[in-house]
Amino acid sequence: MDTILVVNAGSSSVKFQIFSVEGEGILRRQIKGQIDGIASRPRLRASGANGETLAERAYPIEAVANVPAAMEIAGSWLRDELRIHPIAVGHRVVHGGPDFDRPVSIDHGVVARLERFVNLAPLHQPHNLAPIRSILAGFPSLPQVACFDTAFHRTHSAVADHYAIPHRLHAEGVRRYGFHGLSYEYVAKALPRVAPDIANRRVIVAHLGSGASMCALNEGRSVESTMGFTALDGLPMGTRPGQLDPGVVLYLISEKGMSASNVQDFLYRDCGLKGLSGVSNDMRELEASDDAKAKLAIDYFVYRICLNAGMLAAALQGLDAFVFTAGIGENSATIRARVVEQLGWLGVSLDHAGNSRNSRLISRSESRIPVYVVPTDEELMIAQHTLSLLMKQPSGNSRQERAS
Ligand code: ADP
């Protein structure tokens, strides 16, 4: 059975999935796994296609001290115990910089170019590149593909891509990139099947997970995003503040004496729903809490989604549909109901029964703008890109060179 390995490596975890290639480009998910607690309490957990547990193991801290070590453990579990030898590996890479507007086959030259974007995403890019480098070293002939969170947004116009700062900074890469591109691309590709009437029109997609952003799609292409240079901007998130006056950062530095790395930690880890509520970064816990600050954090989250919906509708010069996706968007009927209620001025009206069942279409038939829930699948998107780049390579190449 030909398989594709998808890898999503972060600072403390390596998530991986195995897809089998069935017939003409059809992919079926076979395994979902992750090694988390890298350098703290390492654990391998994996489940099969029907959710059955395949592995649940703890490792001593010194055995999994970094991302390459985690990748080695996941790789040898797949190879030696499950006899899985993927024909290619697709990686989630957060930053493709200004140049990469689509996935790319990886070689040493591409890795060198991607290293240049480490300073644009210092918390993510090095961890994304680590398993790429280990696989290049251990299995030099195994095809690898990099899929970027920024690539889908490279269609933005110049006004959407700039900040009002001197041009030289734009030239060196200080731009409004936008992120969650693999999720938006998946949703854009799913819309012709899910909602053919609106797929080629003006659509706002709200990706509401631990990280959260919104994207304006016109004819299936991204024209605007709430995120910018980094994944800090836009909506409030689990632990990130979203839009923040840069003056607050200056205040933290000048009045609070915080260093750049203190500020970075603070903005990525201590703000957002967690900072505002003082209760949790997890929406389920906030919804279950009676704490007034948890309520304020939810109110703020909903308010900012609706403010940003107005901004994106202006970018689109109108609106034909609204889509919810990701952990909160797919599962929280309460958040969806509150957002749709606050967008009532746009002529949106909710089908409460459909919403509480997490139906695909959750607006009433008389709603001027239909509202959908479309579960995202970034890993499938990566597997599809990987397979299609593999197919474009000189014939036979990939299959002869698989890892053994
Ligand atoms: P990521 O992939 O960015 O880590 P997810 O897309 O998995 O994040 O989303 C995680 C968020 O989704 C968490 O805030 C979690 O509380 C929220 N979530 C998941 N299920 C529900 C639910 N049933 N109700 C409310 N929130 C939920």
Side-chain angles (χ1 to χ4, degrees):
M1 177 175 64
D2 281 347
T3 54
I4 301 231
L5 168 64
V6 171
V7 177
N8 180 359
S11 57
S12 64
S13 73
V14 172
K15 296 182 183 153
F16 59 92
Q17 298 197 5
I18 291 285
F19 290 83
S20 55
V21 183
E22 308 191 349
E24 282 304 294
I26 310 250
L27 290 160
R28 198 177 301 279
R29 194 181 334 263
Q30 302 292 350
I31 295 173
K32 231 175 165 170
Q34 67 178 57
I35 296 198
D36 53 24
I38 294 173
S40 56
R41 281 180 47 203
R43 243 174 358 150
L44 163 67
R45 283 178 297 165
S47 53
N50 301 315
E52 72 280 15
T53 301
L54 298 178
E56 176 85 67
R57 298 176 193 172
Y59 292 86
I61 186 167
E62 57 283 2
V64 194
N66 51 32
V67 169
M71 197 61 236
E72 176 51 40
I73 285 181
S76 60
W77 178 68
L78 290 167
R79 281 191 311 273
D80 303 339
E81 297 190 33
L82 303 191
R83 309 266 167 237
I84 289 176
H85 302 281
I87 57 169
V89 187
H91 296 267
R92 179 181 199 166
V93 176
V94 71
H95 227 299
D99 307 335
F100 289 109
D101 62 356
R102 65 198 63 190
V104 63
S105 285
I106 295 171
D107 57 23
H108 287 284
V110 167
V111 174
R113 285 173 75 188
L114 296 178
E115 303 265 12
R116 296 212 310 265
F117 308 136
V118 161
N119 59 355
L120 299 183
L123 297 187
H124 298 99
Q125 195 84 345
H127 306 297
N128 301 156
L129 296 183
I132 294 179
R133 266 195 246 95
S134 352
I135 294 172
L136 263 180
F139 303 93
S141 53
L142 177 62
Q144 298 193 75
V145 171
C147 300
F148 305 103
D149 270 321
T150 47
F152 186 64
H153 300 295
R154 295 316 297 148
T155 46
H156 289 182
S157 65
V159 281
D161 191 50
H162 274 75
Y163 289 109
I165 54 177
H167 263 293
R168 61 186 147 74
L169 286 166
H170 183 265
E172 70 180 59
V174 185
R175 302 180 182 200
R176 294 193 62 243
Y177 292 99
F179 296 86
H180 293 134
L182 291 158
S183 173
Y184 294 125
E185 186 181 9
Y186 176 85
V187 171
K189 290 218 154 91
L191 283 180
R193 172 173 43 84
V194 173
D197 293 351
I198 55 86
N200 275 320
R201 305 189 67 183
R202 297 162 301 181
V203 181
I204 291 177
V205 185
H207 175 110
L208 310 177
S210 308
S213 72
M214 291 161 74
C215 174
L217 292 178
N218 195 5
E219 299 183 356
R221 285 151 65 97
S222 169
V223 299
E224 185 53 274
S225 156
T226 57
M227 277 181 171
F229 178 54
T230 67
L232 282 172
D233 204 359
L235 302 180
M237 301 167 232
T239 57
R240 292 169 256 165
Q243 189 185 358
L244 190 72
D245 182 338
V248 175
V249 173
L250 297 177
Y251 175 83
L252 295 175
I253 295 167
S254 63
E255 298 302 315
K256 296 291 186 187
M258 287 170 76
S259 66
S261 79
N262 292 155
V263 174
Q264 178 167 285
D265 271 2
F266 176 73
L267 295 177
Y268 277 94
R269 298 189 220 284
D270 295 335
C271 295
L273 299 174
K274 177 183 168 193
L276 190 52
S277 69
V279 172
S280 173
N281 61 336
D282 191 300
M283 186 55 81
R284 282 167 293 203
E285 289 180 27
L286 296 179
E287 286 184 355
S289 169
D290 294 330
D291 192 299
K293 291 207 220 56
K295 182 180 172 314
L296 174 68
I298 295 179
D299 289 349
Y300 184 79
F301 186 66
V302 170
Y303 175 63
R304 302 304 302 194
I305 292 167
C306 295
L307 280 187
N308 280 274
M311 176 185 86
L312 296 182
L316 289 167
Q317 296 283 289
L319 187 62
D320 300 307
F322 192 98
V323 176
F324 288 99
T325 193
I328 300 170
E330 292 165 27
N331 298 301
S332 175
T334 316
I335 297 293
R336 288 194 304 256
R338 292 198 50 195
V339 169
V340 172
E341 186 189 328
Q342 281 195 30
L343 293 178
W345 64 274
L346 277 171
V348 199
S349 94
L350 189 71
D351 167 5
H352 287 275
N355 184 45
S356 52
R357 287 195 305 271
N358 295 335
S359 297
R360 195 50 61 96
L361 177 66
I362 58 167
S363 51
R364 290 153 61 131
S365 53
E366 63 269 31
S367 182
R368 204 175 66 71
I369 293 165
V371 183
Y372 294 90
V373 178
V374 179
T376 195
D377 197 338
E378 291 148 298
E379 291 78 12
L380 178 60
M381 199 69 244
I382 295 171
Q384 284 172 349
H385 281 309
T386 304
L387 184 61
S388 72
L389 273 186
L390 201 61
M391 304 284 217
K392 287 185 194 144
Q393 289 187 350
S395 69
N397 185 22
S398 57
R399 280 146 220 237
Q400 285 154 19
E401 296 189 349
R402 72 178 66 186
S404 55

